[in-house]
Amino acid sequence: MAENQKSRSGMEIILASEAAPGLVLMACAAIALGLANSPLSHEWHELLHHVLPWTPIAKLNTIHLWINDALMAVFFFVVGLEIKREVITGALANPQRRRLPVIAAIAGMAVPALVYLTVTYDRPDLHAGWAIPAATDIAFAMGVLALVGKRIPPSVRLFLLTVAIVDDLGAVAVIALFYTAKISLSWLGWAAVVLMAMIALNRSGVRRTWPFIVLAVVLWFAVLHSGIHATVAGVLAALTVPMALNAEHDSPLLRLEHALVAPNGFIVVPLFGLANAGVSLIGADGGSALAPLPLGIAAGLFIGKQVGVLMALLVSEKLGIASRPAGTSLMHLWGMAVLCGIGFTMSLFIAGLAFPEHPDLAEEAKIGILAGSVLSAAMGALLLRIAKPVP
């Protein structure tokens, strides 16, 4: 094993690590930011937002829409597969083990939203962005954890991963309930029919993956035209994929998750970062960052997240509701809570939904997302770096 490791190049080791998608995402975010502030900014914007001369789906008439409404459905499909696996056989399967992450995730969504609404209370036109600082970017957070090193107890990584999974489920529910346009009942009806067909396939014992993939695409198409955001179809489709293991300890869900994890981490999410993380800082001053919208988002991510998650952990432990993760000190808990403030991917996604008719506000939101996420990453890494191991 050691010889094998030595024979692999540094790049191969990095790409094989769990942190690799987060590191790639960071690089793409930096590239997008660089392009948005370079002489190529206009050309880059035109490439993403120029109406395509031809498209097979009329609603998706720009590259930006194809990335956000089509490719991101794959991201949400993988999220759905992970959620189902964790609920059935993973960290969320045991009621006692899932109690603390669920409480922490709920508090970690509610407090940032309250912080945001407090900052923007006298701007009703900004209230639609309340959910922007409520989500955690697991790829980015895992990348930061990897950079910190191996001194962190394994329980920190597992707990952060579990909180982020619950967080993602909450974000999907928020998107479906609060960021839905005018509903088309006919398309919604067709989506319901396709979803029931997928459930029937599961119940009838179908264990091939291709029928679920085909119907997932059909479901996505129906939801795209229903008024509910198309990416919700990804999670709904994933929840119908069978998890029951066969004699070889395999299942359609595990096969699909294994096949999609790399494309999702190295293609889908980085492309989303490239298409959405760029914000022009040319001509911006300190006042721009302190405007209510970016300030509310940054404060929600950096302050609200750590307060919500850390208070949930400490209060739950104090009241005997649940025990803290094994081998962790207060500094570990604090650092982990701060890392939950890395919102990036989901925050950028929700920002686009919150202000669809006001691209200028969506651009302002990016400043807050980047500021809050970078501050959370830096402080979280520092706290975990100086945290002393628990004997």
Side-chain angles (χ1 to χ4, degrees):
M1 185 73 163
E3 289 178 8
N4 239 1
Q5 186 81 350
K6 288 178 183 176
S7 67
R8 298 164 71 191
S9 69
M11 182 57 69
E12 287 174 328
I13 294 172
I14 290 173
L15 292 177
S17 75
E18 191 179 53
L23 300 176
V24 173
L25 178 58
M26 291 179 200
C28 287
I31 292 170
L33 199 58
L35 284 170
N37 292 276
S38 76
L40 298 174
S41 60
H42 177 73
E43 288 77 5
W44 178 242
H45 184 273
E46 281 295 301
L47 175 65
L48 293 173
H49 298 278
H50 183 72
V51 175
L52 296 170
W54 178 85
T55 178
I57 301 175
K59 286 181 73 71
L60 305 182
N61 60 359
T62 68
I63 292 175
H64 189 264
L65 286 174
W66 272 102
I67 291 172
N68 283 29
D69 288 4
L71 268 186
M72 282 301 283
V74 178
F75 168 80
F76 280 91
F77 185 72
V78 175
V79 167
L81 294 175
E82 291 175 347
I83 290 171
K84 183 169 183 175
R85 174 175 51 76
E86 290 293 334
V87 167
I88 294 176
T89 63
L92 296 174
N94 186 313
Q96 290 184 333
R97 288 178 62 191
R98 70 171 172 244
R99 187 179 302 153
L100 189 58
V102 169
I103 293 172
I106 293 172
M109 294 187 75
V111 177
L114 289 174
V115 170
Y116 174 86
L117 290 173
T118 300
V119 174
T120 62
Y121 77 98
D122 60 346
R123 290 285 305 273
D125 58 317
L126 302 181
H127 291 177
W130 65 270
I132 296 173
T136 297
D137 189 308
I138 188 57
F140 214 134
M142 288 295 112
V144 174
L145 274 184
L147 294 175
V148 172
K150 298 181 178 179
R151 300 176 55 204
I152 306 167
S155 58
V156 169
R157 178 204 159 277
L158 178 61
F159 187 85
L160 183 61
L161 181 64
T162 309
V163 169
I165 288 171
V166 178
D167 213 309
D168 282 343
L169 183 58
V172 171
V174 165
I175 290 169
L177 294 173
F178 298 100
Y179 295 105
T180 293
K182 186 179 178 181
I183 295 292
S184 168
L185 292 179
S186 58
W187 279 109
L188 195 60
W190 282 113
V193 169
V194 177
L195 187 62
M196 286 188 287
M198 297 184 75
I199 294 171
L201 283 180
N202 185 324
R203 294 291 179 87
S204 61
V206 173
R207 292 298 178 263
R208 291 184 178 274
T209 57
W210 70 263
F212 291 96
I213 295 173
V214 171
L215 287 179
V217 173
V218 177
L219 177 64
W220 166 80
F221 185 80
V223 173
L224 175 68
H225 292 83
S226 73
I228 297 173
H229 199 273
T231 50
V232 174
V235 175
L236 294 176
L239 297 180
T240 69
V241 178
M243 175 62 194
L245 300 176
N246 59 19
E248 287 77 35
H249 296 282
D250 189 23
S251 73
L253 187 146
L254 293 178
R255 290 200 298 276
L256 280 173
E257 186 178 6
H258 179 74
L260 291 174
V261 162
N264 185 58
F266 292 109
I267 299 174
V268 175
V269 176
L271 278 175
F272 175 82
L274 274 174
N276 292 273
V279 57
S280 177
L281 301 176
I282 298 172
D285 53 23
S288 303
L290 295 177
L293 179 57
L295 182 61
I297 293 170
L301 287 170
F302 183 60
I303 299 172
K305 270 290 185 181
Q306 61 175 294
V307 170
V309 173
L310 186 59
M311 288 301 102
L313 291 171
L314 297 179
V315 171
S316 295
E317 184 180 38
K318 184 72 173 178
L319 296 179
I321 297 173
S323 301
R324 70 172 61 182
T328 56
S329 64
L330 178 60
M331 194 70 77
H332 286 122
L333 298 182
W334 188 12
M336 182 170 55
V338 175
L339 284 187
C340 288
I342 303 174
F344 203 70
T345 303
M346 198 68 82
S347 294
L348 288 170
F349 189 77
I350 294 175
L353 300 180
F355 306 111
E357 306 300 326
H358 301 281
D360 55 324
L361 292 180
E363 290 298 300
E364 272 192 42
K366 291 179 184 179
I367 296 175
I369 293 166
L370 291 171
S373 296
V374 169
L375 284 172
S376 297
M379 182 176 173
L382 177 63
L383 290 172
L384 291 173
R385 191 75 178 170
I386 63 178
K388 295 180 180 179
V390 175

Tab-separated table of all heavy atoms in Angstrom, residues 297-327:
chain	number	residue	atom	x	y	z
A	297	ILE	N	-26.175	39.222	4.203
A	297	ILE	CA	-25.764	37.861	3.827
A	297	ILE	C	-24.460	37.484	4.518
A	297	ILE	O	-24.343	36.384	5.090
A	297	ILE	CB	-25.609	37.759	2.296
A	297	ILE	CG1	-26.976	37.920	1.621
A	297	ILE	CG2	-24.983	36.416	1.910
A	297	ILE	CD1	-26.897	38.071	0.111
A	298	ALA	N	-23.478	38.377	4.471
A	298	ALA	CA	-22.183	38.091	5.100
A	298	ALA	C	-22.344	37.880	6.601
A	298	ALA	O	-21.764	36.950	7.183
A	298	ALA	CB	-21.204	39.228	4.826
A	299	ALA	N	-23.153	38.730	7.252
A	299	ALA	CA	-23.378	38.588	8.690
A	299	ALA	C	-24.134	37.297	8.991
A	299	ALA	O	-23.846	36.607	9.977
A	299	ALA	CB	-24.161	39.798	9.217
A	300	GLY	N	-25.090	36.948	8.140
A	300	GLY	CA	-25.834	35.708	8.340
A	300	GLY	C	-24.934	34.487	8.268
A	300	GLY	O	-25.013	33.575	9.099
A	301	LEU	N	-24.043	34.466	7.258
A	301	LEU	CA	-23.128	33.331	7.094
A	301	LEU	C	-22.069	33.291	8.187
A	301	LEU	O	-21.838	32.238	8.805
A	301	LEU	CB	-22.449	33.400	5.725
A	301	LEU	CG	-23.307	33.054	4.505
A	301	LEU	CD1	-22.577	33.398	3.218
A	301	LEU	CD2	-23.708	31.579	4.512
A	302	PHE	N	-21.415	34.433	8.412
A	302	PHE	CA	-20.272	34.438	9.322
A	302	PHE	C	-20.674	34.464	10.796
A	302	PHE	O	-20.073	33.787	11.622
A	302	PHE	CB	-19.376	35.637	9.004
A	302	PHE	CG	-18.128	35.689	9.839
A	302	PHE	CD1	-17.203	34.655	9.801
A	302	PHE	CD2	-17.875	36.768	10.670
A	302	PHE	CE1	-16.054	34.694	10.577
A	302	PHE	CE2	-16.725	36.831	11.444
A	302	PHE	CZ	-15.815	35.783	11.400
A	303	ILE	N	-21.697	35.241	11.133
A	303	ILE	CA	-22.120	35.344	12.538
A	303	ILE	C	-23.276	34.402	12.838
A	303	ILE	O	-23.240	33.623	13.792
A	303	ILE	CB	-22.508	36.798	12.873
A	303	ILE	CG1	-21.310	37.734	12.679
A	303	ILE	CG2	-23.031	36.894	14.306
A	303	ILE	CD1	-21.644	39.207	12.811
A	304	GLY	N	-24.328	34.473	12.005
A	304	GLY	CA	-25.518	33.670	12.264
A	304	GLY	C	-25.269	32.183	12.290
A	304	GLY	O	-25.774	31.464	13.169
A	305	LYS	N	-24.475	31.696	11.337
A	305	LYS	CA	-24.215	30.252	11.268
A	305	LYS	C	-23.484	29.754	12.511
A	305	LYS	O	-23.889	28.764	13.124
A	305	LYS	CB	-23.389	29.923	10.020
A	305	LYS	CG	-24.194	29.623	8.791
A	305	LYS	CD	-24.927	28.305	8.887
A	305	LYS	CE	-25.637	27.960	7.601
A	305	LYS	NZ	-26.377	26.699	7.698
A	306	GLN	N	-22.405	30.427	12.878
A	306	GLN	CA	-21.632	29.922	14.012
A	306	GLN	C	-22.407	30.044	15.311
A	306	GLN	O	-22.352	29.144	16.168
A	306	GLN	CB	-20.275	30.609	14.110
A	306	GLN	CG	-20.279	32.094	14.313
A	306	GLN	CD	-18.862	32.648	14.509
A	306	GLN	OE1	-18.195	32.357	15.508
A	306	GLN	NE2	-18.402	33.443	13.548
A	307	VAL	N	-23.180	31.127	15.478
A	307	VAL	CA	-23.992	31.279	16.686
A	307	VAL	C	-25.067	30.203	16.742
A	307	VAL	O	-25.259	29.539	17.770
A	307	VAL	CB	-24.635	32.685	16.743
A	307	VAL	CG1	-25.671	32.761	17.854
A	307	VAL	CG2	-23.564	33.745	16.955
A	308	GLY	N	-25.779	29.999	15.622
A	308	GLY	CA	-26.853	29.011	15.601
A	308	GLY	C	-26.359	27.597	15.869
A	308	GLY	O	-26.896	26.886	16.731
A	309	VAL	N	-25.330	27.175	15.140
A	309	VAL	CA	-24.831	25.804	15.269
A	309	VAL	C	-24.181	25.580	16.637
A	309	VAL	O	-24.456	24.577	17.311
A	309	VAL	CB	-23.840	25.478	14.135
A	309	VAL	CG1	-23.189	24.104	14.362
A	309	VAL	CG2	-24.544	25.508	12.781
A	310	LEU	N	-23.322	26.514	17.069
A	310	LEU	CA	-22.617	26.332	18.338
A	310	LEU	C	-23.588	26.358	19.525
A	310	LEU	O	-23.473	25.521	20.437
A	310	LEU	CB	-21.556	27.421	18.514
A	310	LEU	CG	-20.645	27.274	19.739
A	310	LEU	CD1	-19.898	25.947	19.709
A	310	LEU	CD2	-19.660	28.433	19.820
A	311	MET	N	-24.539	27.269	19.511
A	311	MET	CA	-25.509	27.321	20.605
A	311	MET	C	-26.357	26.056	20.646
A	311	MET	O	-26.679	25.539	21.720
A	311	MET	CB	-26.406	28.550	20.463
A	311	MET	CG	-25.726	29.872	20.770
A	311	MET	SD	-25.050	29.948	22.464
A	311	MET	CE	-23.292	29.672	22.171
A	312	ALA	N	-26.730	25.533	19.483
A	312	ALA	CA	-27.501	24.289	19.429
A	312	ALA	C	-26.707	23.139	20.043
A	312	ALA	O	-27.248	22.317	20.803
A	312	ALA	CB	-27.871	23.964	17.983
A	313	LEU	N	-25.410	23.081	19.736
A	313	LEU	CA	-24.550	22.027	20.280
A	313	LEU	C	-24.441	22.134	21.801
A	313	LEU	O	-24.643	21.147	22.523
A	313	LEU	CB	-23.157	22.119	19.665
A	313	LEU	CG	-23.009	21.762	18.187
A	313	LEU	CD1	-21.629	22.122	17.684
A	313	LEU	CD2	-23.272	20.289	17.968
A	314	LEU	N	-24.147	23.334	22.286
A	314	LEU	CA	-23.910	23.513	23.722
A	314	LEU	C	-25.202	23.359	24.533
A	314	LEU	O	-25.197	22.738	25.605
A	314	LEU	CB	-23.287	24.885	23.974
A	314	LEU	CG	-21.899	25.112	23.338
A	314	LEU	CD1	-21.396	26.514	23.633
A	314	LEU	CD2	-20.898	24.067	23.829
A	315	VAL	N	-26.292	23.908	24.025
A	315	VAL	CA	-27.570	23.801	24.751
A	315	VAL	C	-28.051	22.351	24.770
A	315	VAL	O	-28.534	21.859	25.796
A	315	VAL	CB	-28.628	24.723	24.114
A	315	VAL	CG1	-30.009	24.455	24.706
A	315	VAL	CG2	-28.245	26.187	24.325
A	316	SER	N	-27.917	21.653	23.645
A	316	SER	CA	-28.329	20.241	23.588
A	316	SER	C	-27.526	19.406	24.573
A	316	SER	O	-28.069	18.518	25.248
A	316	SER	CB	-28.144	19.693	22.167
A	316	SER	OG	-28.994	20.348	21.262
A	317	GLU	N	-26.221	19.678	24.658
A	317	GLU	CA	-25.375	18.952	25.607
A	317	GLU	C	-25.754	19.298	27.048
A	317	GLU	O	-25.863	18.417	27.897
A	317	GLU	CB	-23.911	19.293	25.353
A	317	GLU	CG	-22.942	18.514	26.243
A	317	GLU	CD	-21.492	18.876	25.963
A	317	GLU	OE1	-21.211	20.053	25.721
A	317	GLU	OE2	-20.651	17.970	25.987
A	318	LYS	N	-26.001	20.574	27.317
A	318	LYS	CA	-26.339	21.024	28.666
A	318	LYS	C	-27.651	20.417	29.149
A	318	LYS	O	-27.786	20.007	30.310
A	318	LYS	CB	-26.441	22.551	28.677
A	318	LYS	CG	-26.693	23.169	30.050
A	318	LYS	CD	-25.464	23.079	30.927
A	318	LYS	CE	-25.657	23.833	32.232
A	318	LYS	NZ	-24.477	23.704	33.126
A	319	LEU	N	-28.626	20.314	28.245
A	319	LEU	CA	-29.947	19.786	28.617
A	319	LEU	C	-30.007	18.267	28.546
A	319	LEU	O	-31.042	17.672	28.854
A	319	LEU	CB	-31.016	20.382	27.698
A	319	LEU	CG	-31.207	21.910	27.786
A	319	LEU	CD1	-32.276	22.370	26.793
A	319	LEU	CD2	-31.581	22.325	29.206
A	320	GLY	N	-28.913	17.634	28.135
A	320	GLY	CA	-28.895	16.174	28.048
A	320	GLY	C	-29.643	15.622	26.856
A	320	GLY	O	-29.975	14.435	26.807
A	321	ILE	N	-29.922	16.472	25.868
A	321	ILE	CA	-30.642	16.015	24.676
A	321	ILE	C	-29.738	15.138	23.816
A	321	ILE	O	-30.169	14.135	23.246
A	321	ILE	CB	-31.136	17.228	23.858
A	321	ILE	CG1	-32.141	18.036	24.676
A	321	ILE	CG2	-31.759	16.779	22.535
A	321	ILE	CD1	-32.552	19.340	24.030
A	322	ALA	N	-28.477	15.499	23.723
A	322	ALA	CA	-27.510	14.733	22.926
A	322	ALA	C	-26.105	15.094	23.386
A	322	ALA	O	-25.879	16.148	23.983
A	322	ALA	CB	-27.673	15.053	21.445
A	323	SER	N	-25.165	14.195	23.111
A	323	SER	CA	-23.765	14.414	23.490
A	323	SER	C	-22.987	14.982	22.318
A	323	SER	O	-23.307	14.710	21.157
A	323	SER	CB	-23.122	13.095	23.930
A	323	SER	OG	-23.826	12.549	25.028
A	324	ARG	N	-21.951	15.766	22.627
A	324	ARG	CA	-21.105	16.321	21.574
A	324	ARG	C	-20.347	15.198	20.862
A	324	ARG	O	-20.154	14.108	21.424
A	324	ARG	CB	-20.116	17.319	22.164
A	324	ARG	CG	-19.030	16.685	23.019
A	324	ARG	CD	-17.963	17.676	23.436
A	324	ARG	NE	-18.493	18.779	24.247
A	324	ARG	CZ	-17.748	19.789	24.692
A	324	ARG	NH1	-16.449	19.822	24.410
A	324	ARG	NH2	-18.273	20.737	25.430
A	325	PRO	N	-19.890	15.430	19.628
A	325	PRO	CA	-19.097	14.429	18.911
A	325	PRO	C	-17.879	13.980	19.724
A	325	PRO	O	-17.258	14.790	20.421
A	325	PRO	CB	-18.665	15.169	17.643
A	325	PRO	CG	-19.711	16.220	17.452
A	325	PRO	CD	-20.121	16.633	18.834
A	326	ALA	N	-17.565	12.711	19.643
A	326	ALA	CA	-16.485	12.130	20.451
A	326	ALA	C	-15.140	12.786	20.165
A	326	ALA	O	-14.805	13.101	19.016
A	326	ALA	CB	-16.394	10.630	20.175
A	327	GLY	N	-14.371	13.023	21.232
A	327	GLY	CA	-13.007	13.525	21.099
A	327	GLY	C	-12.897	14.982	20.719
A	327	GLY	O	-11.831	15.426	20.265
